[in-house]
Amino acid sequence: MSQIKCIGILTSGGDAPGMNAAIRAVTRAAIYNGFEVKGIYRGYKGLITGEISPFKTQNVSNIIQQGGTILKTARCQEFKTPEGRKIAHDTLVKEGIDALVVIGGDGTLTGARIFASEYNYPIVGLPGTIDNDLYGTDTTIGYDTALNTIMEAVDKIRDTATSHERLFFIEVMGRDAGFLALNGAIATGAEAAIIPEISTEVDQLEELIKNGFRKSKNSSIVLVAESPITGGAMHLAERVQKEYPQYDVRVTILGHIQRGGSPTAHDRILASRMGSAAIDALLEDQRNVMIGIRNNEIEYVPFNKAIKNDKPIDRELLNTLRRLSI
Ligand code: ADP
């Protein structure tokens, strides 16, 4: 531990609201503990191109409330190759960066795990993704904000759906995880959520139709998780329209609106606690762990566990949605 003098921070992969709050927390907690900090731009790409600047406390002033990431983010194919990672390691040595805190999703932590074991290099990860698909933490940074954005958008669509007595299929993000769709459906009083975790077990659309989900409703909203497994909202709407031409079916794909905006209080606090805990982890000589918060307790989750284990959907949530949408 005593060898660490300078900590590098980067954000990588898909951006998520709250990443800035995490950058601020890591920077401030590191400086508080006497470390130097360097900001690495555009994710792992910055380690290849050398886009790196020293970070002082002022560099992270006035960003806790901003969506996106001041460090920018990118996808970097080169880092997936041993040659690219060698360049990245040379850059870290040249810059005098002794440990990394990386903020990102599944792919980012996979890259971190490979690099850390290849070079025996200390890395702590923070779960930054709106998809909430990392094991070992109740929620990921950005998830709560995206969920609230979905709720506001669906409430608005509900107004027009009711006025025209329409059936809406609304597609939300999630990358093979149904957390946004399922909890979004509960929060908006939607009739159903079609999620990848269940699509492999049953034909959810068939079930909905069989149960007469429009029987007593003058509008219906179904949230669909984007995923090849669910087929997406467009595909499901086409199926329904073909079989039930009497329904007035519409599709809305919420898209990138879900990634933007000022982070909620939940995400700001989560990112601040996790960022601060990342520095504690390095002080405790932890390495190659993701910071998680479960049952309000900080946990160090080995990269392998966070990435490889599927985070299961809580069946109680599914039951709640089914019961309340009659
Ligand atoms: P996210 O972190 O949001 O899941 P990606 O899957 O795009 O986003 O991953 C972000 C970056 O992490 C990639 O562009 C790449 O630089 C790095 N990465 C992902 N998978 C690997 C891998 N198998 N080996 C090395 N680096 C990887």
Side-chain angles (χ1 to χ4, degrees), residues 12-15 44-45 74-81 85 103-115 128-129 131 133 175 259:
S12 150
D15 62 314
Y44 294 124
K45 212 174 194 173
R75 299 205 149 92
C76 175
Q77 286 306 321
E78 240 179 313
F79 196 73
K80 291 187 176 175
T81 66
R85 292 193 294 274
I103 308 164
D106 192 70
T108 300
L109 298 187
T110 303
R113 180 183 61 79
I114 293 168
F115 184 81
T129 163
D131 303 332
D133 58 352
R175 199 166 72 162
R259 289 195 179 279

Side-chain angles (χ1 to χ4, degrees), residues 214-228:
R214 295 215 67 201
K215 249 189 277 177
S216 57
K217 304 281 174 71
N218 64 5
S219 75
S220 289
I221 291 196
V222 177
L223 262 60
V224 182
E226 63 161 9
S227 158

Side-chain angles (χ1 to χ4, degrees), residues 16-22 63-68 130 139-152 180 258-273:
M19 279 184 162
N20 279 329
I63 63 167
I64 195 168
Q65 76 281 22
Q66 289 173 18
I130 64 166
T139 62
T140 53
I141 297 165
Y143 168 68
D144 184 66
T145 306
L147 192 53
N148 277 280
T149 302
I150 289 169
M151 185 180 72
E152 284 170 26
L180 286 172
Q258 296 164 88
R259 289 195 179 279
S262 180
T264 57
H266 175 92
D267 275 336
R268 295 181 198 194
I269 295 165
L270 186 75
S272 299
R273 291 179 69 192

Side-chain angles (χ1 to χ4, degrees), residues 9-177:
I9 316 175
L10 60 84
T11 50
S12 150
D15 62 314
M19 279 184 162
N20 279 329
I23 294 168
R24 170 182 178 272
V26 172
T27 304
R28 296 259 166 106
I31 293 171
Y32 179 87
N33 282 288
F35 295 114
E36 262 181 70
V37 179
K38 289 191 175 178
I40 298 154
Y41 288 87
R42 298 182 175 79
Y44 294 124
K45 212 174 194 173
L47 291 177
I48 310 279
T49 59
E51 282 179 282
I52 298 169
S53 310
F55 258 34
K56 306 284 177 216
T57 57
Q58 312 86 272
N59 291 94
V60 293
S61 294
N62 204 17
I63 63 167
I64 195 168
Q65 76 281 22
Q66 289 173 18
T69 158
I70 59 161
L71 284 174
K72 313 289 182 199
T73 183
R75 299 205 149 92
C76 175
Q77 286 306 321
E78 240 179 313
F79 196 73
K80 291 187 176 175
T81 66
E83 297 78 25
R85 292 193 294 274
K86 165 85 173 61
I87 299 172
H89 187 254
D90 290 347
T91 305
L92 288 168
V93 171
K94 188 171 128 238
E95 290 280 341
I97 299 172
D98 313 303
L100 276 179
V101 177
V102 303
I103 308 164
D106 192 70
T108 300
L109 298 187
T110 303
R113 180 183 61 79
I114 293 168
F115 184 81
S117 65
E118 219 165 39
Y119 289 95
N120 188 26
Y121 191 91
I123 308 188
V124 172
L126 298 189
T129 163
I130 64 166
D131 303 332
N132 199 30
D133 58 352
L134 288 165
Y135 180 87
T137 189
D138 290 336
T139 62
T140 53
I141 297 165
Y143 168 68
D144 184 66
T145 306
L147 192 53
N148 277 280
T149 302
I150 289 169
M151 185 180 72
E152 284 170 26
V154 175
D155 283 350
K156 289 183 175 141
I157 294 169
R158 172 76 79 184
D159 290 343
T160 168
T162 309
S163 303
H164 285 277
E165 303 183 304
R166 280 177 174 152
L167 163 59
F168 265 88
F169 285 91
I170 302 175
E171 186 172 298
V172 301
M173 287 184 169
R175 199 166 72 162
D176 294 340

